[in-house]
Amino acid sequence: MQNHPVYSDNDPQNELSTLNLGPTHPATHGVFQNVLQLDGERIVSGVSTIGYIHRAFEKIAEHRPFYQITPLTDRLNYCSSPINNMGWHMTVEKLLGIETPKRVDYLRIIVMELARISDHIICNGVLGVDTGAFTGFLYMMEYREAIYEIYEEVCGSRLTTNIGRIGGFERNFNAIAFSKLRKFLKEFPPVLKEFESLFNRNRIFVDRTKGVAEVTAEAALSYSWSGPLLRAAGVDYDVRAMNPYSSYEDFDFEVPVGENGDVYSRFLVRNEEMKQSLRLIEQALVKLEKEPTDIFHADVPEFYLPPKEEVYNNMEALIYHFKIVMGEVPTPATEVYHSVEGANGELGFYLVNDGGRAPYRLHFRRPSFINYQMYAPMSRGMLLSDAIINMSSLNVIAGELDA
Amino acid sequence: MSDIQIVGAPAGVEGAGFFATSLDKAVGLARANSLWPLPFATSCCGIEFMATMASHYDLSRFGAERLSFSPRQADLLMVMGTIAKKMGPVLRQVYLQMAEPRWVMAVGACASSGGIFDTYSVLQGIDEIIPVDVYVPGCPPRPEAIIDGFINIQKLVKTESLRRRNEPEYQKLLASYGIQ
Amino acid sequence: MGKITNEELLKNINTKFEGQLTLVGEPFGLLTLETGREQIIDILTYLKTDLSLQFIYLTDITAIHYPEQEKPIGVIYHLHSLINNVRIRIKVFLPDGDFHIPTATTVWDGANWMERETYDYFGVIFDGHPDLRRILNVDDMTAFPMRKEFPLEDPNRVDKKDYFFGR
């Protein structure tokens, strides 16, 4: 009697099986569909389908005045909304030629770096969950709440922040915001260290992630990768360092670079970036001490929405309010491309203006969209379980992917 | 003294060594305090749900410790985030796969009404394709609001009759959505 | 900021592609050129491979629609030379009814989805693209939503009729 399988031409084991992964599969953390052809556990080929939450941002943007596009940018990468808000504000400021005071720049850097930390907390925490370690996620999430509390002091909202206005902030940072920020700066680094000591040399985690989904620098560049993923592959391209915006040139920070672009080096790069972000925030706090404390926006009454009390009590403010809301202020008819370093990579805004109240065309260069297109090609030959880990370390945010 | 609170007994007749109540109430109590939610998270609200679920807000306190990612074993469908027209049939399929009794909670402005995305590609509220029990407003709702919505679902579950699916009212509702 | 100025860049391209490019301007220091679809791939390849330029990074491909123009749809490429830290923008306008342009997937792998998105939004057909399907919208959609004549709101809606609002 034979105890081993008999192979013949019509043996079912020779056939490839098709697996429909998503769009509601829990392991994908969002709405991504991949139809994979499997040979046992190994992926032979795959096709990604996206667009399951396509919300037509670019079409809406053509129908909204500039200041009403900020809430749309919130919902691009909702894990780090402030970066999107600031990026959009800076794009419009570039178009209108508004110079922001240094204090505004530094405040923006604080908020943007907090956003970067909160984004990386989610990505690295979830990567831990996907490799079977829930603890790290729970430790870190507590500090994301701390960041959200700082946002609440700054703008009143947690996730979709809508922080700031064209020209600066809608209100000054209060004392509670600064004290919460200082508390965070004191309490978070030890937790980050603990998180790293849980993972960095953890046998299970390292075996699970090292050498998984390696990407060469050439491939990463050819696929226009950016952000931590590109840096993990060994290319030190960071918009903050290359084309500094919002006075990043005044700061001293390092751009961490990985070795081979695998999941493990992406994890390390993100952890290191959190440390650099903390450094940036600390420097910004020091620099802020030398700035006048009452400046929180540029002096551009024709574009900066005045506070409501002013509108009700002051003729001039009412006129400006009316002019801004009705789009009576002429804007230059030209085109501008501005990019910021989002948590996932180069977040670009290509704005074509015809002088009207809304953009003629606004295109978002969305890093998640561009990073994700390599997912199916790079999954070839990978184990299914590795492909899941790869997906979570790409940190693709559905809102940014589908626009 | 333990901090753990135990849910109170439903109204009934009590005497020496016995407690009598209707089966409806006992089952409702059990159902309400061990709901298995299926998080159908597509976008921003899903991130707030993560916060609701995680250490700080801890949805497990309400008996929803066990998230069910399989619709077959879920009681409560929590739709969080924008549902685009491309996603609509998928959502409906998930709903159809759920066994009775099932409840649906629309979390956030997008799931409730389409929210700020009044566009050609977005479904203007999930109640166009499936019935909804509780709507949670907000863009995104705070975790407290999600928990509040969850408590409202619990109230519904407690007062639900044992076999809701046999009620003509419910069948009429499902028929209006073209379900079975 | 970059290591080569826009003048040098323009001169370099002009010596290679004499008369095939027109300068549109330098809005906010970003050199913007316009060319035709016949030579676009040659220009992109040259920009990528020329050792003094090395525009190895394709930032973005998108399009724009000007319904009144004779050539209504423009495809816009943003390139970035990471070595020199210089960006360039190249536009190609396509005549009405003939929205064909050769694909850039032969130069960059990453152009794949950007072109699919542009096709999905504007209906620009990238000849030679390996898999030109809709990417964000539903497959059975027939219109191209980012064209100016397409309405933002769903035209089939029944709950937004004027009589609900007393109009």
Side-chain angles (χ1 to χ4, degrees):
Chain A
M1 208 172 118
Q2 280 176 317
N3 208 11
H4 56 84
V6 184
Y7 295 101
S8 63
D9 283 348
N10 52 7
D11 185 355
Q13 292 185 73
N14 287 338
E15 283 176 14
L16 301 177
S17 53
T18 307
L19 178 72
N20 183 11
L21 188 69
T24 60
H25 196 278
T28 56
H29 309 295
V31 277
F32 316 112
Q33 186 187 24
N34 282 286
V35 181
L36 304 171
Q37 253 198 339
L38 297 174
D39 179 9
E41 277 277 291
R42 207 162 278 282
I43 295 167
V44 179
S45 66
V47 177
S48 309
T49 311
I50 66 166
Y52 283 106
I53 62 160
H54 175 51
R55 304 187 266 194
F57 281 114
E58 295 180 10
K59 191 78 181 174
I60 304 177
E62 288 177 10
H63 295 77
R64 297 278 184 273
F66 293 125
Y67 66 93
Q68 283 186 10
I69 291 170
T70 321
L72 291 179
T73 63
D74 272 335
R75 286 150 185 86
L76 277 172
N77 180 350
Y78 35 73
C79 291
S80 53
S81 317
I83 303 185
N84 312 340
N85 299 156
M86 307 281 156
W88 166 245
H89 291 146
M90 283 184 261
T91 310
V92 181
E93 283 159 15
K94 198 167 168 180
L95 174 84
L96 302 172
I98 297 171
E99 287 276 327
T100 46
K102 283 282 180 195
R103 185 164 191 269
V104 172
D105 287 357
Y106 299 152
L107 290 177
R108 278 184 173 170
I109 283 177
I110 290 177
V111 175
M112 283 194 284
E113 294 306 322
L114 281 176
R116 197 180 315 281
I117 293 173
S118 75
D119 194 287
H120 288 349
I121 282 178
I122 293 190
C123 178
N124 277 353
V126 166
L127 185 63
V129 174
D130 282 356
T131 50
F134 204 56
T135 326
F137 172 74
L138 291 176
Y139 275 13
M140 298 283 271
M141 278 301 264
E142 195 59 37
Y143 287 86
R144 199 189 64 154
E145 291 297 327
I147 294 177
Y148 281 178
E149 280 178 21
I150 300 170
Y151 290 170
E152 279 183 321
E153 291 304 329
V154 176
C155 71
S157 181
R158 283 161 53 86
L159 184 71
T160 45
T161 49
N162 198 6
I163 288 186
R165 296 255 198 279
I166 293 157
F169 287 88
E170 74 273 27
R171 69 183 101 164
N172 206 344
F173 280 36
N174 58 24
I176 306 172
F178 281 114
S179 70
K180 281 190 173 166
L181 185 61
R182 292 222 165 76
K183 186 162 168 266
F184 175 76
L185 286 179
K186 211 173 114 213
E187 288 177 358
F188 183 61
V191 175
L192 183 59
K193 208 175 162 202
E194 197 173 356
F195 180 74
E196 285 190 311
S197 57
L198 266 175
F199 284 92
N200 281 14
R201 281 160 53 80
N202 181 328
R203 191 80 246 164
I204 302 167
F205 182 75
V206 173
D207 282 354
R208 198 77 180 72
T209 53
K210 209 164 198 170
V212 170
E214 285 185 12
V215 178
T216 61
E218 290 77 28
L221 283 171
S222 180
Y223 273 96
S224 296
W225 270 19
S226 52
L229 299 175
L230 181 66
R231 290 193 283 277
V235 183
D236 62 339
Y237 173 48
D238 187 321
V239 185
R240 290 176 292 172
M242 202 119 156
N243 305 106
Y245 52 90
S246 187
S247 301
Y248 267 109
E249 65 274 14
D250 299 355
F251 288 80
D252 179 27
F253 67 102
E254 278 155 32
V255 179
V257 173
E259 274 168 21
N260 51 6
D262 62 358
V263 175
Y264 185 64
S265 53
R266 290 174 211 160
F267 176 81
L268 294 184
V269 164
R270 286 207 172 91
N271 275 343
E272 189 55 39
E273 275 189 19
M274 282 196 251
K275 287 185 198 154
Q276 297 299 329
S277 296
L278 290 170
R279 259 182 82 190
L280 280 164
I281 297 171
E282 267 161 13
Q283 291 175 46
L285 281 176
V286 173
K287 283 182 199 295
L288 276 178
E289 282 166 11
K290 297 192 191 98
E291 301 292 328
T293 52
D294 56 339
I295 291 179
F296 58 95
H297 62 87
D299 185 24
V300 277
E302 62 273 28
F303 296 109
Y304 179 83
L305 272 171
K308 266 282 167 334
E309 318 75 274
E310 290 283 302
V311 176
Y312 291 136
N313 297 316
N314 182 330
M315 187 68 188
E316 205 181 351
L318 178 65
I319 292 170
Y320 279 127
H321 178 90
F322 181 81
K323 282 179 102 172
I324 294 169
V325 173
M326 299 309 289
E328 302 274 308
V329 190
T331 49
T334 179
E335 53 193 334
V336 56
Y337 178 82
H338 183 72
S339 60
V340 293
E341 181 69 28
N344 279 334
E346 179 179 347
L347 175 70
F349 298 87
Y350 175 53
L351 167 63
V352 181
N353 190 30
D354 59 351
R357 141 175 214 262
Y360 186 78
R361 168 100 171 94
L362 176 61
H363 179 70
F364 303 104
R365 184 215 189 264
R366 313 184 302 279
S368 287
F369 175 73
I370 292 166
N371 293 346
Y372 184 59
Q373 63 173 316
M374 194 165 163
Y375 180 72
M378 79 195 282
S379 295
R380 250 170 244 148
M382 216 184 262
L383 287 173
L384 180 62
S385 50
D386 289 347
I388 298 291
I389 302 266
N390 183 24
M391 166 100 70
S392 59
S393 87
L394 287 181
N395 194 23
V396 181
I397 307 291
E400 195 174 62
L401 176 76
D402 291 344
Chain B
M1 183 77 184
S2 162
D3 288 341
I4 299 169
Q5 292 174 7
I6 293 174
V7 68
V13 187
E14 203 170 356
F18 79 93
F19 175 76
T21 184
S22 64
L23 189 61
D24 271 18
K25 282 181 193 145
V27 170
L29 192 73
R31 274 177 181 168
N33 292 296
S34 70
L35 278 171
W36 286 11
L38 163 63
F40 194 91
T42 56
S43 52
C44 334
C45 297
I47 303 292
E48 279 299 63
F49 179 71
M50 253 163 100
T52 316
M53 208 182 66
S55 31
H56 201 88
Y57 291 96
D58 197 10
L59 190 63
S60 321
R61 295 178 293 157
F62 301 90
E65 174 73 51
R66 203 274 192 187
L67 296 181
S68 169
F69 287 100
S70 156
R72 298 284 186 206
Q73 290 145 13
D75 306 310
L76 169 63
L77 177 64
M78 297 175 84
V79 183
M80 294 166 284
T82 317
I83 302 297
K85 284 184 181 155
K86 203 171 176 177
M87 194 67 175
V90 180
L91 175 65
R92 196 181 154 91
Q93 182 71 34
V94 167
Y95 179 73
L96 292 178
Q97 283 174 346
M98 287 171 70
E100 287 283 359
R102 55 189 168 186
W103 291 272
V104 179
M105 185 168 148
V107 178
C110 289
S112 304
S113 70
I116 61 170
F117 302 106
D118 188 3
T119 63
Y120 60 88
S121 65
V122 174
L123 197 68
Q124 300 299 308
I126 58 166
D127 50 9
E128 289 190 6
I129 51 169
I130 55 172
V132 179
D133 291 290
V134 169
Y135 299 86
V136 180
C139 188
R142 295 178 54 92
E144 290 94 332
I146 300 181
I147 290 175
D148 183 52
F150 191 82
I151 292 172
N152 274 313
I153 288 273
Q154 283 185 322
K155 280 183 193 154
L156 258 179
V157 174
K158 268 183 206 159
T159 52
E160 202 86 64
S161 78
L162 204 53
R163 292 175 74 81
R164 178 169 73 159
R165 62 172 174 265
N166 289 350
E167 286 173 14
E169 210 178 8
Y170 186 64
Q171 284 181 338
K172 203 176 141 203
L173 175 74
L174 284 188
S176 72
Y177 284 97
I179 295 171
Q180 98 209 250
Chain C
M1 214 186 299
K3 286 182 193 151
I4 45 174
T5 61
N6 282 346
E7 289 77 45
E8 287 165 8
L9 176 59
L10 186 63
K11 213 174 123 197
N12 188 330
I13 305 171
N14 263 337
T15 47
K16 175 82 179 165
F17 297 96
E18 181 93 57
Q20 294 174 14
L21 288 142
T22 45
L23 177 68
V24 178
E26 290 178 51
F28 305 96
L30 211 158
L31 186 69
T32 306
L33 303 172
E34 194 184 322
T35 185
R37 62 183 161 192
E38 294 77 22
Q39 59 270 13
I40 179 68
I41 295 305
D42 290 342
I43 291 171
L44 293 178
T45 315
Y46 173 74
L47 287 171
K48 186 188 175 189
T49 49
D50 185 75
L51 284 180
S52 62
L53 301 177
Q54 297 203 47
F55 282 91
I56 51 171
Y57 193 78
L58 174 68
T59 304
D60 207 7
I61 298 176
T62 186
I64 190 165
H65 186 209
Y66 293 103
E68 297 84 32
Q69 282 185 12
E70 189 191 339
K71 290 182 168 182
I73 285 193
V75 180
I76 300 159
Y77 300 81
H78 281 89
L79 311 184
H80 193 177
S81 169
L82 298 182
I83 310 284
N84 299 312
N85 193 13
V86 167
R87 290 175 194 267
I88 190 170
R89 180 187 294 139
I90 298 173
K91 295 184 176 180
V92 179
F93 279 91
L94 305 173
D96 206 356
D98 178 25
F99 301 131
H100 284 266
I101 187 167
T103 176
T105 47
T106 48
V107 192
W108 289 279
D109 293 321
N112 192 324
W113 280 19
M114 301 179 193
E115 289 183 349
R116 273 179 71 185
E117 188 193 43
T118 310
Y119 164 72
D120 191 355
Y121 279 168
F122 291 93
V124 178
I125 294 163
F126 292 88
D127 293 323
H129 189 285
D131 183 24
L132 196 66
R133 287 180 293 128
R134 284 190 181 268
I135 187 161
L136 295 174
N137 289 302
V138 281
D139 289 329
D140 51 3
M141 196 167 179
T142 47
F144 297 105
M146 283 301 286
R147 292 196 188 167
K148 286 286 174 188
E149 69 270 11
F150 192 84
L152 167 69
E153 289 164 14
D154 186 352
N156 302 322
R157 283 188 70 158
V158 289
D159 56 342
K160 259 196 152 181
K161 297 273 186 261
D162 277 353
Y163 58 81
F164 286 127
F165 303 96
R167 289 191 288 241

